[in-house]
Amino acid sequence: MAQDAQNASLIGKPGSRAALTTPALLIDLDAMERNIAHMAEHCRAHGISLRPHAKTHKSIRIAELQIAAGAAGICAATLGEAEVLAGAGIPGVLITSPVVGDARIARLIALNEKATGLKVVTDNAAVAETLSRAASESGKPLEVFVELDIGTRRTGARTPEAALAVARQVGKSNSLVFAGIHAYAGHLQHIADYAERRAEADRCAQPLAVFTEQLDAEGIRPPIVSGAGTGSHEIDALRGNYSEMQCGSYIFTDVQYNACALRQGAAQPFDTGLFVQVTVISSNGDGQPITDGGLKRFATDGPPPEILRGAPAGSRYIFKGDEHGGIVLPDGMTDLPIGTKIECLTPHCDPTVNLYDHYHIVRGDTLVDIWPVDARGVI
Amino acid sequence: MAQDAQNASLIGKPGSRAALTTPALLIDLDAMERNIAHMAEHCRAHGISLRPHAKTHKSIRIAELQIAAGAAGICAATLGEAEVLAGAGIPGVLITSPVVGDARIARLIALNEKATGLKVVTDNAAVAETLSRAASESGKPLEVFVELDIGTRRTGARTPEAALAVARQVGKSNSLVFAGIHAYAGHLQHIADYAERRAEADRCAQPLAVFTEQLDAEGIRPPIVSGAGTGSHEIDALRGNYSEMQCGSYIFTDVQYNACALRQGAAQPFDTGLFVQVTVISSNGDGQPITDGGLKRFATDGPPPEILRGAPAGSRYIFKGDEHGGIVLPDGMTDLPIGTKIECLTPHCDPTVNLYDHYHIVRGDTLVDIWPVDARGVI
């Protein structure tokens, strides 16, 4: 039975949060709304545009809330995400990875014909030329960001000079529009210490400044300089090197971001808004009750889930296989009642969300709605 | 666009394996068919019944192939998996985790009324009593396995004495049928060394023997003793402590099982049959081309993906975030062509499969079919 069908009858019933069939992915709607408003205000205050990254949530509904709060558009990690979001009418979708291969480029061009303000990154002159040919056959120009790697060693031309060659290729095309620079420092977002993270962001700003100067020298001002994540949202706003921020995880936060000092000398600006609720299904007297939440219910690329509610203070979560978690109770405690509901702060939020088909939306103790994770698994 | 729709037009075309839109989860059908036949023959040769675990594949089609090869039924990790499989007519589904809570027990009883030979485990007398009441209202008896923990510390009564109390509770009920003992040594399946794994299996066999004797003394012979995994499939067959094996991963194998000596002094009995195919989407001259396969495309609870095809010998795979992988090339190599297809042996196969909606079925270099991962994400 699909998960939404199992819990749909509980919507609107007071106390229904405690009656969910689990494992369930929960959004605290009050917290997420505060987070969306808070980041929108942060960007307005610093005169920077916001194009939040949808790879975190993969949700049309959440993208709509972000747009309603003033976002200029939405980032998508894959063409499939962009198809889902732009297909639902979300404007200004920026695909933050290169799109390569005939089949994918055909889909990209078809999407561009229908979508409002679609944009895509490229880091390669030959790919830019292919995009140019495909766009010229379609008749509608394609907006292209040139990607510069500033330290993550993921996609992106590795030097300003290499990026300039790509920009020149884009500039030569009648069917491509140079939309700006894409430069995302993914590797520094989770550095816990603020000063250390700022120092690395300073290093990353250098090649970006060089590239901007080179473009200036050629008479090409980048219309947009896009980058920044939740971890660097304050640092990059204060420095002003981006005209647009792409933060994603701020809407939920997770174990990793809660461990980062996100603001210098200030409290965390964002509330925890995403949880996985599990149930104790077995308890056998040895201080380690077992839940129904295992490796298939939580991301495992970072720290383990953190128990927030339902187990005594000092309890910790361990994985016990595909479908089971263990609650290691504090010394002297042996059992939890079978049926106990436990809510965990999620490890890395993006790949955790990707494991679920639905969000259970709660306000306080009540399930108020169930939303699909619309773009889960699409490529 | 759904992944099956993107590649469906390639089915049956020679060479189509190289034209897939990626990331794609691939089954080498020849290898999987050999593996299914091989394990079926192994069990027949040792006079042991086989009820393979579907948590590995979550697929109706694969369950049907296993039943056709002689399996007595199928194991399911969750009630949701059981609903999908039994709902498709697969007989003898055994749910290998306790089912607790009113909503879930109502679903279990409803499924039992429709299904042929449904079975469920329990490790708790109070839960057994609740199951008994629910089954008695339905009019169709429910088959129950009593679960004994033999060292994994997951679900299961922790001692033979505690398990005996549960068995007595089951025995008292007119609406429950004592189906046997469930005792799975999950913790030893991945011990790489054969002798070490056998030694641990020997330790696990002791409480199982004690429990069987206790049941005998009470005049209750367990009709079935179910357990064993791919890692212990030979050890447990030679020892004869189970009447039924539950192996799952043997149909595919993965990085972890390939590192285990599965047969004493003999070659690995199973062929690698599951791959993730990714594409190089960016290559920038520094010896680390980037693919479209990241944390959302591979399980991350074990070793990283192992490159099998498409990259030069000595290359290794590293994760570069949600949607990207890096190919670390051997010294002196700088690039791979954009568009290069790379096939990887999967890390832990079960949670890798759980990330995909479809299997791409290949024979040699041809895509021959696309099958759904029917029970992905169900709870």
Side-chain angles (χ1 to χ4, degrees):
Chain A
M1 197 186 299
Q3 193 169 16
D4 56 337
Q6 288 169 45
N7 288 320
S9 64
L10 297 171
I11 292 173
K13 292 189 182 163
S16 46
R17 181 174 183 163
L20 297 173
T21 291
T22 64
L25 183 67
L26 268 61
I27 291 178
D28 178 325
L29 191 53
D30 293 327
M32 188 180 73
E33 285 174 349
R34 280 194 300 273
N35 292 342
I36 289 173
H38 201 88
M39 183 65 90
E41 179 49 35
H42 168 78
C43 289
R44 264 192 299 272
H46 289 87
I48 299 177
S49 166
L50 177 64
R51 194 183 312 267
H53 216 306
K55 78 186 175 74
T56 301
H57 56 68
K58 293 173 170 278
S59 157
I60 295 165
R61 295 287 290 274
I62 298 175
E64 288 169 345
L65 292 175
Q66 292 173 313
I67 296 286
I74 288 289
C75 292
T78 67
L79 177 57
E81 283 180 8
E83 288 169 331
V84 169
L85 295 165
I90 304 292
V93 175
L94 163 59
I95 304 168
T96 59
S97 276
V99 174
V100 307
D102 292 347
R104 271 218 168 88
I105 288 176
R107 284 166 55 199
L108 175 70
I109 297 299
L111 184 63
N112 188 47
E113 286 169 2
K114 293 182 299 184
T116 304
L118 185 73
K119 300 161 215 309
V120 67
V121 305
T122 187
D123 66 359
N124 183 286
V127 172
E129 203 183 335
T130 310
L131 291 175
S132 170
R133 274 199 306 276
S136 94
E137 282 162 28
S138 98
K140 180 174 176 184
L142 179 67
E143 295 183 54
V144 173
F145 277 72
V146 173
E147 184 174 25
L148 173 68
D149 173 51
I150 52 175
T152 300
R153 292 191 67 194
R154 199 154 65 189
T155 56
R158 292 291 189 261
T159 62
E161 291 68 30
L164 189 63
V166 183
R168 284 179 182 144
Q169 187 69 39
V170 171
K172 275 199 296 201
S173 165
N174 290 324
S175 55
L176 301 182
V177 176
F178 177 58
I181 303 171
H182 184 256
Y184 177 63
H187 64 293
L188 62 79
Q189 301 299 327
H190 291 117
I191 297 175
D193 182 70
Y194 188 94
E196 228 177 279
R197 198 160 67 256
R198 191 183 51 202
E200 181 56 25
D202 286 342
R203 274 190 290 278
C204 292
Q206 293 165 16
L208 181 55
V210 170
F211 184 36
T212 312
E213 280 163 31
Q214 288 174 336
L215 289 170
D216 263 344
E218 304 222 353
I220 325 171
R221 264 220 87 76
I224 300 174
V225 181
S226 190
T230 297
S232 66
H233 81 284
E234 182 177 80
I235 293 164
D236 286 322
L238 293 174
R239 185 191 287 109
N241 45 340
Y242 292 109
S243 66
E244 172 178 291
M245 309 231 285
Q246 303 188 352
C247 315
S249 303
Y250 74 97
I251 56 167
F252 296 144
T253 84
D254 57 23
V255 172
Q256 281 169 308
Y257 274 122
N258 278 7
C260 290
L262 294 178
R263 296 269 170 98
Q264 188 168 28
Q268 292 297 80
F270 306 112
D271 293 335
T272 301
L274 186 77
F275 314 101
V276 170
Q277 188 187 92
V278 297
T279 302
V280 173
I281 61 166
S282 172
S283 192
N284 286 288
D286 64 349
Q288 190 187 281
I290 298 295
T291 77
D292 56 0
L295 303 170
K296 291 179 181 170
R297 310 301 175 175
F298 293 98
T300 55
D301 62 299
E306 208 173 281
I307 299 171
L308 287 182
R309 280 180 283 276
S315 302
R316 64 190 174 84
Y317 207 96
I318 57 172
F319 287 116
K320 294 296 290 182
D322 287 349
E323 298 289 1
H324 299 96
I327 307 293
V328 181
L329 294 173
D331 279 354
M333 288 200 60
T334 56
D335 282 291
L336 286 178
I338 288 175
T340 301
K341 297 296 178 77
I342 292 174
E343 287 185 2
C344 300
L345 175 54
T346 59
H348 194 177
C349 56
D350 306 30
T352 300
V353 166
N354 185 53
L355 297 169
Y356 291 83
D357 291 324
H358 296 93
Y359 290 108
H360 290 74
I361 312 298
V362 299
R363 286 204 199 264
D365 69 355
T366 305
L367 177 71
V368 298
D369 212 346
I370 298 176
W371 298 350
V373 181
D374 304 281
R376 194 211 65 75
V378 300
I379 60 171
Chain B
M1 199 188 298
Q3 194 170 15
D4 55 337
Q6 288 170 45
N7 288 319
S9 64
L10 298 170
I11 293 173
K13 293 191 181 160
S16 46
R17 181 174 182 162
L20 296 174
T21 290
T22 64
L25 183 67
L26 268 61
I27 291 177
D28 179 325
L29 191 52
D30 293 327
M32 188 179 72
E33 286 174 348
R34 279 195 300 272
N35 292 342
I36 288 173
H38 201 88
M39 182 65 89
E41 179 50 34
H42 168 77
C43 289
R44 264 192 298 273
H46 289 87
I48 299 177
S49 165
L50 177 64
R51 194 183 312 267
H53 215 305
K55 76 186 175 78
T56 302
H57 57 66
K58 292 174 170 279
S59 157
I60 295 165
R61 296 286 290 273
I62 298 175
E64 287 170 346
L65 292 175
Q66 291 173 313
I67 296 286
I74 288 289
C75 291
T78 68
L79 177 57
E81 282 179 10
E83 287 169 333
V84 168
L85 294 164
I90 304 292
V93 175
L94 163 59
I95 304 169
T96 58
S97 276
V99 174
V100 307
D102 292 348
R104 271 216 166 88
I105 289 176
R107 284 165 55 199
L108 175 70
I109 297 300
L111 184 63
N112 189 46
E113 285 170 2
K114 294 182 298 186
T116 304
L118 186 73
K119 300 161 216 309
V120 66
V121 304
T122 187
D123 64 0
N124 181 286
V127 172
E129 204 184 334
T130 310
L131 292 175
S132 170
R133 273 199 307 276
S136 95
E137 282 163 28
S138 97
K140 180 175 176 185
L142 179 66
E143 294 183 56
V144 174
F145 277 72
V146 172
E147 184 174 24
L148 173 69
D149 173 51
I150 52 175
T152 301
R153 292 191 67 194
R154 199 153 65 186
T155 55
R158 292 291 189 262
T159 62
E161 292 68 29
L164 189 62
V166 183
R168 285 178 180 145
Q169 186 70 39
V170 171
K172 275 199 296 201
S173 166
N174 291 323
S175 54
L176 301 182
V177 176
F178 178 58
I181 302 172
H182 183 256
Y184 177 63
H187 64 294
L188 63 79
Q189 300 299 328
H190 291 118
I191 298 174
D193 182 70
Y194 188 93
E196 229 177 278
R197 198 161 67 255
R198 191 184 50 203
E200 181 57 24
D202 287 341
R203 275 191 289 279
C204 292
Q206 294 166 17
L208 182 54
V210 171
F211 185 36
T212 312
E213 280 164 31
Q214 288 174 337
L215 288 170
D216 263 343
E218 303 220 355
I220 325 171
R221 263 220 89 79
I224 301 174
V225 180
S226 189
T230 298
S232 64
H233 81 284
E234 181 178 80
I235 294 165
D236 286 322
L238 294 173
R239 187 191 286 107
N241 44 342
Y242 292 109
S243 67
E244 172 179 291
M245 310 231 285
Q246 303 187 353
C247 315
S249 303
Y250 73 97
I251 55 167
F252 296 144
T253 82
D254 56 23
V255 173
Q256 281 169 309
Y257 275 122
N258 278 5
C260 290
L262 294 178
R263 296 268 170 99
Q264 189 170 28
Q268 293 296 81
F270 306 112
D271 293 336
T272 300
L274 186 77
F275 314 101
V276 170
Q277 187 187 92
V278 297
T279 303
V280 173
I281 61 165
S282 173
S283 193
N284 287 287
D286 64 350
Q288 189 187 281
I290 299 295
T291 76
D292 56 0
L295 303 171
K296 292 179 180 171
R297 310 299 176 177
F298 292 98
T300 55
D301 62 299
E306 210 173 280
I307 299 170
L308 287 183
R309 280 180 283 275
S315 303
R316 63 189 175 84
Y317 207 96
I318 58 172
F319 287 117
K320 295 296 290 182
D322 286 350
E323 298 289 1
H324 300 96
I327 307 293
V328 181
L329 294 173
D331 279 354
M333 288 200 59
T334 56
D335 282 290
L336 287 178
I338 288 174
T340 300
K341 298 295 178 80
I342 293 173
E343 286 185 0
C344 301
L345 175 53
T346 60
H348 192 177
C349 56
D350 307 31
T352 299
V353 167
N354 185 54
L355 297 169
Y356 291 82
D357 291 324
H358 297 93
Y359 290 108
H360 290 74
I361 311 299
V362 298
R363 286 204 199 263
D365 70 355
T366 304
L367 177 72
V368 297
D369 210 347
I370 298 176
W371 297 350
V373 182
D374 303 280
R376 195 212 64 76
V378 300
I379 61 170

